[in-house]
Amino acid sequence: AYSLLASLMIALTVVPAMASKTLIKEKIQKKNSLFGSLLPAYEKAIGLALRFKPVVLLLVVALLVVSALAAFAKGTAFMPDMDSTQISMTVTLPEKTPLTDTAEVTDEVIARLMAMEDVTDVGAMASTSSLAMLTGGGNSSTRSTDIYVVAREDKTRSNEEIARDILEKTADLGAEITVDTSSMDMSAMGGSGISIQVRGRELDTLRQIAEEVAAIVETVEGTSQVSDGMAESGEELRVVVDREKAVQYGLTVAQVFTQIAPKLADSSNATTLAAAEKDYVVYVSHGGDTELTRAMMEELPIKGTDEEGREVEIPLSEIAELSPAVSLSSISRADQNRYIEVSAAIAEGYNVGQVSSRVEARLADYSVPEGYSLVFSGENEMINDAISQVLLMLLLAVVFMYLIMVAQFQSLLLPFIIMFTIPLAFTGGLLGLFVSGSEISVIALIGFVMLAGIIVNNGIVLIDYMNQLREQGMEKREAILTAGRTRLRPVLMTALTTILALSTMVLSNDMGAEMAKPMAVTTIGGLLYGTLLTLVVVPCIYDIFIREKRQSGLAGKSRKGERNIEKAPNKVGRQKHRVSHKRGKEKQ
């Protein structure tokens, strides 16, 4: 915005001042052979388009629909993935693997990574839960490590190629290794892949629904590493008190729990001893404490009263049922509802938008029990929200441009003719994304916002000149053809300068250049196609909407001017004589 304001000030002040000093002598414009051969072909094309206007409009609308379908077939993305020098990995070993064995496997992975040509540095740490990373606490996993790889600045291979090489060289270690190459993917800020929250109250029902949903997601093409949210769960011994039996001994469920709880309490730290090399936490435990088993829990004595009011001790198994079950390590809540999150990564070569659409279609047939719901909260939802925001920006931009042109033309119809070309000009941008293999992303949509502001300029110049010619009394069809011939050169120059300026962004292979490429591709494709629209379709739309009788007043004014000239032939003759006399002196 600031650069355009500065350009406007220069164009209205500095350029006329410089022209007044440099354009002193009248120069004959040299003919350009390329432009000279292009002009007759354009005149034939515009004449043919004016004869078959319905065919032209139907063709451009059909191309718009086809280009939109082709572009959206590539899927959607929040931000384009950018190649970087950073690669992250996760090494996971089987359950109950001790930390020493995990460290040995990790050291072997690091040794093999350092032997690779494009790798310069490697670092690793024990994998921790997200809560532990936020709080700085423990909860480190003994069977999983995170590895960070730094590649050379002048690497010869892309991160994807390096990742495939890493997986090949570590396939024999017996560990599950995942490699993430999108270290500079901005979608990491809001999560990646597919995430489905199973919301409700009862944890057992939530777990059952989550397992069923995960099984459905796993059958969808393009998903990988599907999790039902129970990966960090553990085993528990569930005690279900029989209320009727407990009442016989004068007990309630709360009283039974009160007697069991002290037996299940973990030891708590009493103090911390500070040594030179580290701090030691001191725990105090009873010498008679032992690790409870299921058999011991069943025989755990519970104090109650019999029918005669005497205090008695009964085994827990007499008033309760003990059964093994699966427990969650933590209970997550959202909008005052418990939930279990089913997640899935996107397989290589697939797009998150396409895969998410397939998952939603597959889960549409799944019947959720009453009181429970499925809420999609993954990357695709973040993409849709961002795209809706940018589309709102585009709509407001179009409205503002229309209002400004209404003030300029003092007409509601002429700006509509120009604005009509904006969605049609998007055909070029959509085709550009399809040809370049880029997804519909927020950056690409920003390119469409830019394109909407740029593409109307040539239409304004062309229609404004058509109106000037008609005000001078020229017939509508002749005014259209004349304006097209006269404004062909400036329209082409305007489009080519912008296209050439943006071409460096498309051809650049520097690190991070992928971020701006969709915007440049969209703008260049839209300008190439939009220029054709301006030169061919705008005249057709102008010819359709602008009627000849609207300019009858102007033609009358022109004829009245002709009668005034006829009334003063002597004056005109004297003016012509003076001009001829002056030209004669110049020749002499």
Side-chain angles (χ1 to χ4, degrees):
Y2 279 109
S3 62
L4 285 174
L5 287 173
S7 175
L8 177 63
M9 293 175 60
I10 296 298
L12 295 178
T13 57
V14 177
V15 172
M18 295 178 64
S20 66
K21 299 297 182 181
T22 57
L23 301 180
I24 298 176
K25 296 182 179 179
E26 183 180 355
K27 295 183 179 179
I28 301 175
Q29 188 174 5
K30 296 181 179 179
K31 292 185 178 180
N32 186 289
S33 57
L34 177 62
F35 183 76
S37 60
L38 183 63
L39 191 58
Y42 170 65
E43 290 179 349
K44 293 180 180 178
I46 194 174
L48 189 64
L50 290 173
R51 288 176 55 192
F52 302 99
K53 294 186 289 293
V55 176
V56 173
L57 295 180
L58 288 175
L59 182 61
V60 295
V61 171
L63 283 174
L64 174 62
V65 174
V66 171
S67 63
L69 294 176
F72 278 97
K74 293 286 185 180
T76 57
F78 183 63
M79 295 283 183
D81 287 345
M82 294 182 293
D83 201 28
S84 69
T85 58
Q86 300 178 9
I87 300 174
S88 59
M89 300 172 50
T90 301
V91 179
T92 306
L93 279 83
E95 291 282 352
K96 298 182 180 180
T97 301
L99 186 60
T100 53
D101 294 349
T102 305
E104 291 179 3
V105 175
T106 303
D107 289 339
E108 179 62 26
V109 173
I110 292 175
R112 298 185 183 186
L113 291 175
M114 291 300 297
M116 297 175 64
E117 179 183 358
D118 292 318
V119 175
T120 59
D121 297 288
V122 181
M125 69 177 183
S127 178
T128 59
S129 65
S130 58
L131 179 62
M133 294 181 68
L134 290 173
T135 59
N139 294 334
S140 297
S141 172
T142 62
R143 68 185 186 97
S144 180
T145 53
D146 293 330
I147 299 178
Y148 301 92
V149 183
V150 180
R152 292 190 296 113
E153 293 281 351
D154 56 342
K155 59 184 179 178
T156 57
R157 296 179 297 174
S158 66
N159 281 3
E160 296 290 342
E161 294 172 332
I162 297 175
R164 285 193 290 268
D165 193 14
I166 291 174
L167 294 176
E168 291 176 1
K169 291 186 176 181
T170 57
D172 61 329
L173 295 178
E176 181 184 349
I177 298 178
T178 58
V179 183
D180 182 15
T181 59
S182 57
S183 301
M184 294 178 67
D185 183 5
M186 299 299 290
S187 64
M189 295 187 300
S192 59
I194 298 172
S195 178
I196 306 167
Q197 292 181 357
V198 182
R199 296 185 180 183
R201 288 188 57 81
E202 294 295 331
L203 294 178
D204 290 341
T205 307
L206 287 176
R207 188 178 70 249
Q208 180 183 355
I209 297 174
E211 291 175 353
E212 295 174 356
V213 170
I216 295 174
V217 172
E218 203 164 16
T219 61
V220 177
E221 182 183 1
T223 58
S224 65
Q225 303 175 25
V226 180
S227 171
D228 60 0
M230 303 296 292
E232 300 297 329
S233 61
E235 296 181 358
E236 70 177 10
L237 186 63
R238 186 169 298 179
V239 180
V240 181
V241 178
D242 190 328
R243 296 175 185 272
E244 295 181 358
K245 292 181 180 180
V247 167
Q248 295 177 5
Y249 294 96
L251 295 172
T252 63
V253 176
Q255 289 173 330
V256 175
F257 172 76
T258 303
Q259 297 186 48
I260 297 176
K263 300 294 184 180
L264 304 177
D266 292 331
S267 300
S268 59
N269 61 314
T271 185
T272 302
L273 296 178
E277 61 278 358
K278 64 178 294 186
D279 293 341
Y280 296 92
V281 179
V282 178
Y283 292 93
V284 178
S285 60
H286 192 276
D289 288 348
T290 58
E291 185 176 351
L292 292 175
T293 63
R294 178 176 178 178
M296 295 174 63
M297 283 292 297
E298 290 177 348
E299 298 299 325
L300 190 69
I302 303 297
K303 293 181 181 181
T305 57
D306 58 11
E307 296 178 353
E308 298 178 357
R310 292 176 298 182
E311 184 174 323
V312 294
E313 285 189 353
I314 54 174
L316 179 62
S317 59
E318 188 170 332
I319 59 173
E321 180 183 354
L322 283 73
S323 59
V326 178
S327 66
L328 295 170
S329 59
S330 62
I331 298 177
S332 303
R333 289 181 173 86
D335 299 334
Q336 300 182 352
N337 280 315
R338 293 174 175 177
Y339 74 86
I340 296 178
E341 190 171 70
V342 178
S343 61
I346 305 301
E348 185 178 353
Y350 289 87
N351 178 268
V352 62
Q354 295 172 324
V355 177
S356 296
S357 299
R358 295 172 190 164
V359 171
E360 291 179 7
R362 192 71 61 86
L363 290 177
D365 300 329
Y366 179 75
S367 179
V368 183
E370 186 177 356
Y372 296 83
S373 61
L374 302 180
V375 178
F376 287 82
S377 60
E379 183 181 356
N380 192 54
E381 278 56 50
M382 179 180 61
I383 292 171
N384 294 336
D385 182 62
I387 288 177
S388 63
Q389 299 267 350
V390 180
L391 289 177
L392 179 60
M393 288 169 48
L394 178 60
L395 178 61
L396 291 175
V398 170
V399 171
F400 289 152
M401 286 188 292
Y402 179 77
L403 295 177
I404 290 173
M405 286 190 290
V406 167
Q408 176 187 352
F409 286 105
Q410 297 295 311
S411 169
L412 296 174
L413 184 58
L414 292 176
F416 173 77
I417 297 174
I418 300 173
M419 302 302 293
F420 190 79
T421 63
I422 291 180
L424 299 180
F426 288 169
T427 304
L430 295 169
L431 288 176
L433 292 175
F434 174 74
V435 172
S436 63
S438 303
E439 305 101 338
I440 301 290
S441 63
V442 175
I443 299 297
L445 290 179
I446 292 176
F448 282 110
V449 177
M450 291 176 53
L451 178 62
I454 296 172
I455 200 66
V456 298
N457 294 335
N458 292 332
I460 292 173
V461 171
L462 194 62
I463 289 183
D464 186 60
Y465 192 57
M466 291 178 187
N467 289 339
Q468 292 181 22
L469 293 176
R470 296 190 65 203
E471 287 175 359
Q472 296 173 9
M474 189 175 290
E475 186 264 336
K476 183 179 69 171
R477 181 64 65 91
E478 185 62 27
I480 292 174
L481 296 174
T482 303
R485 289 193 302 266
T486 309
R487 291 292 180 257
L488 177 61
R489 184 190 295 267
V491 166
L492 293 178
M493 289 173 60
T494 304
L496 287 175
T497 51
T498 308
I499 290 170
L500 293 175
L502 292 173
S503 61
T504 55
M505 298 171 66
V506 176
L507 301 176
S508 174
N509 290 319
D510 292 338
M511 193 172 301
E514 294 88 350
M515 175 65 76
K517 277 186 178 180
M519 179 175 61
V521 166
T522 300
T523 310
I524 289 177
L527 281 175
L528 286 172
Y529 185 81
T531 302
L532 176 64
L533 281 179
T534 302
L535 295 173
V536 178
V537 180
V538 168
C540 293
I541 301 175
Y542 186 91
D543 192 28
I544 292 173
F545 285 98
I546 303 300
R547 298 178 181 178
E548 189 68 42
K549 65 180 181 180
R550 290 175 61 89
Q551 300 293 339
S552 58
L554 296 176
K557 291 181 180 178
S558 179
R559 288 192 293 270
K560 183 178 179 181
E562 291 175 0
R563 289 194 296 270
N564 291 336
I565 293 174
E566 291 175 358
K567 291 180 180 178
N570 296 332
K571 185 176 180 181
V572 175
R574 287 194 296 270
Q575 289 175 349
K576 290 182 178 180
H577 177 73
R578 285 198 296 268
V579 172
S580 301
H581 181 67
K582 184 177 180 181
R583 288 179 179 174
K585 292 180 67 176
E586 287 178 356
K587 290 181 180 179
Q588 290 177 359

